[in-house]
């Protein structure tokens, strides 16, 4: 087993699934000779050729739309949207078509496709390059929305997503692409969709987050550990359908919940988690559920990026507030 | 741009062009056009009686509908918008199911496993991208098949039209995009969609061939689409084909075209009726008679009525079926919601 | 004062604002001679001509995008999207541009535009004609999202929206277009954006909803009134930014909250309301907050439409459950 | 399609075509191109030192940038994408602010009230719709002004390109769409964007004029855009102008073009440098000398260095400014969040 970064793990998953299943194809802007602007598709075109690794014109609606057609006609397309901020030109195709063909055709047409997109802040980029709008996809019935936070999960979840019979939005926290390396099994393996991972067990308070927030939450958990607060950290991994059981069980144990996401707070994914925990666990709650999130603003350019991106200090503050309630 | 025509409104025809269309095929076309019109007439009357939902009438476009679908070969795909049920019947999709669909029952949109047809697509233009993608798949596999999409004049304004045609031209995809130019997008005449004189000339922007066909001439439609389907299938050359036809009815049963359309326009187009001219041809060339015609209409009427009966006798969909096919495997939250619905309906919830 | 339906009130607001302010223009599919498929723009073209009432090509991205340009260059466009289900072709223009020009230009360019769209089920229409996806717009920083439920509010809120200096998504519950008539003042008047309306005062339980749900909630309130439960009914009217004060004050009084919306439940607007009330009013809550909503499915075609659309029976059930907790 | 050229790469020119460009204007063009290149070179080196963010280099496109902007008249609007800061400088937008913008400070995108210029638009193609809408406003008011948009070859694939040009052709809008065809969209060569031989020929799909210009010939760019701007302004006739140029650098500083681009391609285009050929012309015709040239470069370098100084001396934006201009009036939830931020930063939050 070799140590790999998340981007290497993603690249490996693509290589292996393309080898494993000749119906898997890759398309998107610059996915060919360039290997993608983050190198996720590096080397694919050399190995699998232009008919399976397609540099597309600069047109997101047809990237998603053509992928739908490919899926209907026997392929398993993995479409790359260069940055999540540019997916909106193809949003109609996702919401009204990818997510709906199975129902519209009453079971005749499954849409086994993956739309991959780097998301979130942390690389000091230009406008539209730092968006974290998973909530828009979570509110689309028929979709599956997946966000890994480690190299190992990135590979396992991408393989599961490619093998999934329906459309999957697979969001990659670009800040973690090269954040750390870890042992990643060589072979093809699956990380289950719909299952959260408890990355740190704790008795006093539950922290739920995903993607780029996991290291932030872990740092906060270590910090309060020194103060005698034992935090449980849950990596949600799948946003839709999310693993409600792991969350509610944890809250039943701890009685306290802080949700962390970098997306704007209002009407974000955190709201649904808070709402459902409130519905199911009201009597377990020892304090109000807190949300530590990006603000309801446009992700700032590099100079102010860090002020919007939740950090462990803000999470610790929320933990304190919750513990002291 | 030249308008391709074989059979004119008086039943006059270009014999050379017609040579390779078999008599049997012509009879089939005629029958399918009549069937389509009868289905349509019946649907309109069902709608008026509240026995069917909002309907987009296909009256006037029967030649376009039938001609293009007949041009397909086994293995080819058909990707319709919402005003192509004449094509669907031609391809063997059941008339009953179309009643169900327009009657507000999702099950009507089910396409049997042995048909290469997509379900109705309401979002104007979106399905053209799907057609392009399907063509990629066919080409990747080296399959000898092609994709035929159909959409309206209004669809040519959409970004998706542009992106799909660009892809088809660039990647040399086995796809033919048919535009049924029926002159209207609800109340907006085609002259208010675009400044070009024709829609076919837009093909130039994608380095693909554009053709313009009399869409009320079933022979020309059939022949042109067939030729281009063959080329697409064998040579990976896409095409854009504009079928010049006319929407004789309202946009849908929810619309009232007298608000925006001068009646004399309709009269001009009535003379160009796609069914009448084939009848004239049949009379002149294929020993047809009013009597035979009446028989055929009666036979088709029976078929339509049988479909109506089956439609009206089919069970109401169960409320639980709302949750069907949302996912290949039902996730927990839908299971919970399904239980809610079951509880409510068992408690005698509102039907 | 004459009695008018909601669609008449909307039409009147458009007539009056176009008369009042020559920079107001209307654009969209079939808004001209046809007067819009629901007749919202009836008569405008006769009075104001084609240069101010523009039938557009069938292309939503440019309807929204051109409206943005008009707004930048001195007009106040009111763009109609024929049904909310077709707005997604123009979603990028709304999210990435309409909502962002003010910030992007650091105050130079305001975008005084309104995007009107009929939304919601209740008219037994085809696919995409019954969507209720206000949550997608609520999660867009920079937007204002307004939903009237009465003829009077429809006029007052539309006038406020047209006069608003920023982009407003104005959603019209098509089911209520002709639902009832009421007295609507003849003159130009404004209903304030951001203020909810308590349409029924009550002491025992708070019901919050908007648009097509208001009559449903009122019916439910009447029903439980007979049983001795005194429900307060709040019409939210503005979804973003919503009137948190009216809601929390009510919950402080009643201790119980049921949120009603026809949109899919998960990640809907109800989640944010539940989350924020949970944050602020945990100790006031006598029972878990309930959500009565559309299911997480594609709005069914006519035959099953009523099974997805929340009705007073479902609201009453939730009230019972809450009261009995 | 014919390529419009006045000044070739050897400094040879068509005297007739040049007749109506004043000497003074030529000197101005030259100066602006040099300024742009120097600003750009400096920006690249600041970026390498971590003193600036990701930058899209404009090297090689100075003639396109400067020529099109100079063609505008007071009252006209300029609607850029992101590779037009040469145009912005030409229009009097401050060099300091462009450093700030590319340095990751929103304030750099502020456009002074007296300039009719839109801020940088990153979403490829989207701003073409805005240009069309602005042209509607100008026409509605009967104003004598026009809108000039600029975007890249990649943008022609987007649905928004199609929808905007269709609107412009249909409504006869006073807008000119300039495409800076620099042959690349990141790693994708223009031959992989579309099957058409030129981008200008796409104008046919909208019944508007398409023109193709040597984009490294500042005279031809200026003259052609000016002519079409006049026509747009006075006759409400839109146009699509393809400027054939070349991206001499990487896509941005985050890109490495050696991964996908053959070096010999660059050499060909180096010979076509837009600045060199004007220098040759100046030398031959306008009594220019190496000495004067050096002086000019020195003068411009000082200007650039002054801008750098101002940029680097300008204060960091306050964290609170993230909330500025989200709304014309700040709503309650942003006020609350702003208070959160203030508390955090006063408590010495991470800078
Ligand atoms: C994207 C989108 N916008 C709006 C509508 C509403 N609508 C339904 S049909 C129609 C007109 C379509 O005109 P055309 O494409 O010419 O097809 P036709 O109805 O004439 O067959 C419109 C605007 C829609 N279905 N999809
Ligand atoms: C809608 C959209 N998709 C993707 C991107 C990412 N991206 C930035 S620039 C670029 C290539 C643009 O090519 P072109 O239009 O030719 O302009 P150039 O960079 O050559 O000036 C891409 C794909 C984007 N900015 N917008
Ligand atoms: Mg039409
Ligand atoms: Mg380019």
């Amino acid at each position: 087993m070799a140590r790999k970064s998340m981007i290497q793990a993603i690249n490996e998953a693509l290589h292996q699934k393309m080898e494993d299943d000749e119906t898997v194809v890759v398309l998107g802007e610059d996915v060919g000779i360039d290997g993608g602007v983050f190198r996720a598709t590096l080397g694919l075109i050399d190995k699998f050729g232009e008919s399976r690794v397609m540099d597309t014109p600069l047109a997101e609606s047809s990237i998603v739309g053509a992928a739908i057609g490919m899926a209907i006609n026997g392929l398993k397309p993995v479409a790359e949207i260069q940055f999540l901020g540019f997916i909106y030109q193809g949003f109609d195709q996702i919401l009204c078509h990818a997510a709906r063909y199975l129902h519209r055709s009453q079971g005749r047409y499954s849409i086994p496709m993956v739309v991959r997109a780097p998301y979130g802040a942390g690389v000091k980029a230009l406008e539209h390059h730092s968006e974290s709008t998973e909530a828009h996809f979570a509110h689309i019935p028929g979709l599956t929305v997946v966000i890994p936070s480690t190299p190992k999960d990135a590979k396992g979840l991408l393989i599961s997503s490619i093998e999934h019979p329906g459309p999957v939005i697979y969001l990659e926290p670009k800040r973690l692409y090269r954040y750390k390396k870890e042992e990643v099994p060589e072979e093809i393996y699956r990380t289950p969709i719909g299952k959260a991972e408890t990355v740190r067990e704790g008795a006093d308070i539950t922290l739920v987050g995903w993607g780029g927030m996991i290291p932030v939450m872990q740092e906060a958990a270590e910090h309060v550990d020194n103060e005698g607060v034992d935090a449980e950290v849950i990596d949600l991994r799948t946003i839709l359908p999310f693993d409600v059981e792991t969350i509610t069980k944890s809250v039943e144990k701890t009685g306290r919940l802080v949700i962390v996401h970098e997306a704007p707070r209002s009407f974000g994914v955190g709201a649904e988690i808070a709402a459902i925990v409130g519905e199911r666990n009201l009597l377990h709650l020892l304090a109000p559920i807190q949300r530590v999130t990006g603000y309801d603003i446009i992700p700032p350019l590099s100079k102010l990026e860090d002020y919007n991106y939740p950090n462990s200090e803000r999470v610790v503050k929320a933990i304190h507030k919750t513990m002291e309630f | 741009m030249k308008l391709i025509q074989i059979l004119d409104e008086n039943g006059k025809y270009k014999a050379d062009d017609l040579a390779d269309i078999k008599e049997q095929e012509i009879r089939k076309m005629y029958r399918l056009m009549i069937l389509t019109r009868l289905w349509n007439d019946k649907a309109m009357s069902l709608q008026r009686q509240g026995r069917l939902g909002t309907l987009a009438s296909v009256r006037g476009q029967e030649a376009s509908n039938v001609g293009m679908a007949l041009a397909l070969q086994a293995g080819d795909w058909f990707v319709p918008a919402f005003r192509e049920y004449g094509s669907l019947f031609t391809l063997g999709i059941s008339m009953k199911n179309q009643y169900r669909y327009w009657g507000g029952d999702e099950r009507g949109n089910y396409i049997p496993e042995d048909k290469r047809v997509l379900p109705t697509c309401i979002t104007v233009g979106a399905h053209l991208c799907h057609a392009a993608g399907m063509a990629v798949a066919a080409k990747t596999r080296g399959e000898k098949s092609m994709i035929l999409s159909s959409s309206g004049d209004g669809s040519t304004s959409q970004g998706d039209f542009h992106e799909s045609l660009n892809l088809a031209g660039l990647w040399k995809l086995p796809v033919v995009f048919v535009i049924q130019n029926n002159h209207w997008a609800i109340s907006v005449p085609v002259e208010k969609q675009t400044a070009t004189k024709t829609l076919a000339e837009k093909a130039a922007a994608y380095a693909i061939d554009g053709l313009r066909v009399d869409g009320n001439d079933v022979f020309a439609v059939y022949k042109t689409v067939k030729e281009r389907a063959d080329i697409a299938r064998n040579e990976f050359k896409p095409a854009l084909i504009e079928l010049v036809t006319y929407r004789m009815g309202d946009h849908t049963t929810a619309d009232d075209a007298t608000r925006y359309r001068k009646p004399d326009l309709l009269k001009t187009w009535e003379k160009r009726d796609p069914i009448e001219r084939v009848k004239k041809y049949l009379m002149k060339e294929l020993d047809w008679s009013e009597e035979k015609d009446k028989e055929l209409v009666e036979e088709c009427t029976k078929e339509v009525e049988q479909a109506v009966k089956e439609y009206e006798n089919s069970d109401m969909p169960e409320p639980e079926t709302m949750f069907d096919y949302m996912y290949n495997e039902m996730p927990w939250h839908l299971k919970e919601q399904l239980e809610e619905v079951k509880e409510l309906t068992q408690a005698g919830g509102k039907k």
Side-chain angles (χ1 to χ4, degrees), chain A, chain B:
Chain A
M1 225 165 25
R3 296 176 65 78
K4 280 164 205 137
S5 65
M6 180 182 286
I7 193 76
Q8 288 170 328
I10 289 169
N11 183 251
E12 182 169 284
L14 291 171
H15 273 276
Q16 293 182 343
K17 278 308 296 177
M18 287 193 76
E19 235 154 55
D20 173 59
D21 178 352
E22 64 174 20
T23 66
V24 176
V25 298
V26 160
L27 70 155
E29 295 155 10
D30 306 290
V31 298
I33 179 168
D34 195 38
V37 295
F38 288 105
R39 311 289 174 255
T41 56
L42 198 69
L44 294 176
I45 195 159
D46 299 330
K47 211 184 294 175
F48 304 104
E50 287 195 6
S51 73
R52 290 182 63 200
V53 182
M54 300 169 238
D55 266 328
T56 62
L58 211 171
E60 284 77 9
S61 186
S62 58
I63 292 175
V64 180
I68 292 170
M70 294 176 196
I72 288 174
N73 200 7
L75 298 180
K76 296 203 185 81
V78 181
E80 174 175 308
I81 296 293
Q82 205 159 69
F83 290 88
L84 186 60
F86 304 125
I87 206 167
Y88 293 102
Q89 312 245 15
F91 198 61
D92 180 77
Q93 289 289 355
I94 292 174
L95 189 155
C96 294
H97 302 285
R100 288 180 169 217
Y101 257 111
L102 184 69
H103 185 79
R104 182 180 298 154
S105 68
Q106 292 286 293
R108 167 73 193 274
Y109 299 114
S110 286
I111 307 292
M113 70 185 267
V114 180
V115 178
R116 293 178 40 244
Y119 90 98
V123 301
K124 305 212 176 293
L126 295 167
E127 197 189 345
H128 308 295
H129 289 67
S130 304
E131 327 307 289
S132 176
T133 48
E134 61 276 12
H136 282 135
F137 303 90
H139 191 54
I140 300 179
L143 279 193
T144 297
V145 182
V146 168
I147 303 183
S149 82
T150 64
K152 192 161 164 240
D153 283 354
K155 181 173 172 185
L157 282 168
L158 183 50
I159 289 169
S160 296
S161 298
I162 295 172
E163 293 177 355
H164 196 72
V168 178
I169 307 292
Y170 179 93
L171 302 181
E172 304 167 3
K174 67 174 88 69
R175 189 188 211 217
L176 303 186
Y177 268 154
R178 296 178 171 84
Y179 170 76
K180 67 163 186 191
K181 293 194 177 193
E182 69 175 6
E183 301 284 323
V184 173
E186 303 290 342
E187 71 280 4
I188 288 187
Y189 61 92
R190 287 107 197 141
T191 303
I193 291 173
K195 289 266 167 271
E197 170 90 342
T198 304
V199 294
R200 185 186 198 280
E201 299 211 2
D204 299 331
I205 187 165
T206 304
L207 310 181
V208 174
W210 49 91
M213 294 296 102
I214 303 304
V216 173
M217 285 157 56
Q218 283 173 316
E219 202 183 306
E222 294 311 320
H223 184 98
V224 296
D225 193 54
N226 298 328
E227 303 167 353
V229 176
D230 188 17
E232 179 143 307
V233 178
I234 296 174
D235 178 357
L236 200 55
R237 300 199 298 191
T238 297
I239 306 296
L240 178 69
F242 68 94
D243 183 352
V244 71
E245 216 181 300
T246 297
I247 299 172
T248 52
K249 277 209 180 125
S250 177
V251 174
E252 279 161 26
K253 175 173 69 175
T254 63
R256 297 180 184 92
L257 176 59
V258 173
I259 304 159
V260 186
H261 61 64
E262 62 170 295
R265 178 172 315 164
S266 298
F267 307 93
V269 167
E272 178 61 33
I273 297 172
I276 211 157
V277 171
E279 273 158 34
R280 298 181 182 209
N281 296 112
L282 184 66
L283 299 185
H284 293 105
L285 284 177
L286 302 172
I289 299 166
Q290 301 277 319
R291 288 181 281 170
V292 177
T293 67
Y295 302 110
D296 288 325
I297 60 174
I298 296 162
L301 299 184
S302 64
K303 288 236 195 300
L304 296 180
E305 178 170 277
D306 289 344
Y307 290 97
N308 186 47
Y309 203 76
N311 55 24
S312 60
E313 189 189 332
R314 285 174 62 195
V315 178
V316 167
K317 222 177 147 196
I319 295 173
H320 287 167
K321 206 169 149 193
T322 307
M323 295 306 299
E324 288 156 16
F325 182 79
Chain B
M1 189 174 292
K2 184 187 119 199
L3 185 77
I4 302 172
Q5 196 189 52
I6 297 178
L7 177 70
D8 78 7
E9 53 196 79
N10 303 315
K12 276 211 204 114
Y13 61 96
K14 296 182 185 131
D16 283 358
D17 290 333
L18 203 53
D20 44 350
I21 307 185
K22 298 196 196 83
E23 187 187 313
Q24 203 186 332
E25 252 154 353
I26 295 176
R27 293 189 194 276
K28 195 166 163 192
M29 288 173 191
Y30 186 60
R31 188 179 195 285
L32 280 163
M33 288 198 289
I34 287 193
L35 203 60
T36 300
R37 182 159 296 179
L38 290 170
W39 187 97
N40 191 82
D41 289 349
K42 188 71 199 178
M44 297 293 287
S45 93
L46 290 175
Q47 196 281 335
R48 257 177 262 117
Q49 299 160 48
R51 292 156 68 194
L52 202 78
T54 308
L55 181 85
S57 160
V58 83
R59 191 183 189 95
Q61 299 178 219
E62 292 89 350
S64 291
N65 266 240
V66 169
M68 71 169 127
L70 267 181
L72 292 181
Q73 227 173 258
D76 294 342
W77 284 92
F78 185 60
V79 181
F82 47 80
R83 206 183 295 277
E84 285 90 0
Y85 38 79
S87 312
L88 300 184
F89 302 152
T90 304
L91 293 166
I93 302 299
S94 92
M95 293 196 292
K96 165 197 166 187
N97 267 354
Q98 282 298 301
Y99 279 130
R100 281 167 118 187
Y101 176 67
W102 295 97
D105 182 346
E106 277 81 359
R107 294 173 302 175
N109 231 351
Y110 172 74
I111 306 289
E113 288 289 336
D114 63 337
K115 304 284 177 222
R116 291 194 143 191
V117 171
L118 294 203
T120 298
C121 178
I122 301 283
T123 323
V124 170
H127 62 304
L128 306 185
C129 294
H130 313 156
M134 293 163 77
V136 172
K139 187 172 180 178
T140 302
R141 272 197 300 273
E143 209 175 273
K144 279 266 175 270
S145 73
M146 56 79 64
I147 323 296
L148 181 71
S149 77
S150 172
S151 59
D153 40 297
S155 77
T156 64
S157 298
Q158 284 285 18
D160 278 350
F161 168 87
H162 175 71
E163 298 188 12
S164 305
L165 270 75
N166 190 44
L167 216 52
L170 180 65
W171 290 351
K172 312 221 177 313
L173 299 177
V175 56
V176 172
F177 301 101
V178 163
I179 304 296
Q180 292 193 73
N181 177 1
N182 67 4
H183 286 74
W184 295 94
I186 310 187
S187 73
V188 179
V190 64
E191 307 82 52
K192 288 195 172 180
Q193 286 294 339
T194 187
T196 57
K197 291 219 175 60
T198 71
L199 301 176
E201 71 196 87
K202 291 180 183 289
Y206 315 102
I208 69 181
D209 296 336
L211 299 98
R212 199 155 183 265
V213 181
D214 179 345
N216 284 9
D217 168 2
V218 70
F219 299 155
V221 171
Y222 169 74
K223 206 173 159 191
T224 310
V225 176
K226 193 165 160 33
E227 271 167 23
R228 295 304 315 202
D230 289 343
I231 293 176
R233 208 184 293 111
N234 300 320
E235 301 170 35
F236 300 123
K237 275 182 76 176
L240 172 68
I241 302 180
E242 175 185 1
L243 304 181
V244 182
T245 178
Y246 206 78
R247 193 194 79 202
M248 297 302 291
D250 298 327
H251 168 66
T252 65
T253 49
D255 175 50
D256 171 11
T258 63
R259 300 175 54 81
Y260 51 79
R261 184 160 72 174
K262 303 246 166 60
D264 23 327
L265 267 173
L266 267 188
K267 288 212 189 91
T268 318
W269 282 93
E270 253 157 30
K271 288 193 208 115
R272 300 181 188 152
D273 188 88
I275 298 183
E276 275 309 305
R277 64 176 84 174
V278 180
K279 185 172 167 189
K280 284 179 192 156
Y281 171 85
L282 289 172
M283 296 278 200
K284 205 155 48 176
E285 302 293 336
L286 294 182
D287 197 25
W288 199 244
S289 65
E290 285 297 346
E291 201 172 327
K292 284 186 189 160
D293 206 68
K294 227 177 115 191
E295 258 171 53
L296 177 64
V297 168
E298 268 164 26
E299 190 190 306
C300 289
T301 304
K302 270 196 203 128
E303 253 186 74
V304 166
E305 270 165 7
Q306 176 63 22
V308 173
K309 207 153 83 191
E310 286 171 23
Y311 158 60
E312 298 211 307
N313 287 342
S314 62
D315 51 335
M316 269 286 283
E318 292 298 324
E320 294 94 285
T321 61
M322 298 189 294
F323 295 86
D324 287 351
Y325 310 117
M326 283 305 306
Y327 288 88
N328 298 77
E329 203 180 317
M330 198 181 286
W332 64 270
H333 63 296
L334 285 184
K335 282 188 194 147
E336 287 186 7
Q337 294 176 13
L338 174 58
E339 286 311 310
E340 257 180 72
V341 171
K342 279 191 186 155
E343 238 176 74
L344 280 166
T345 50
Q346 275 155 18
K350 179 171 157 198
K351 283 265 169 183

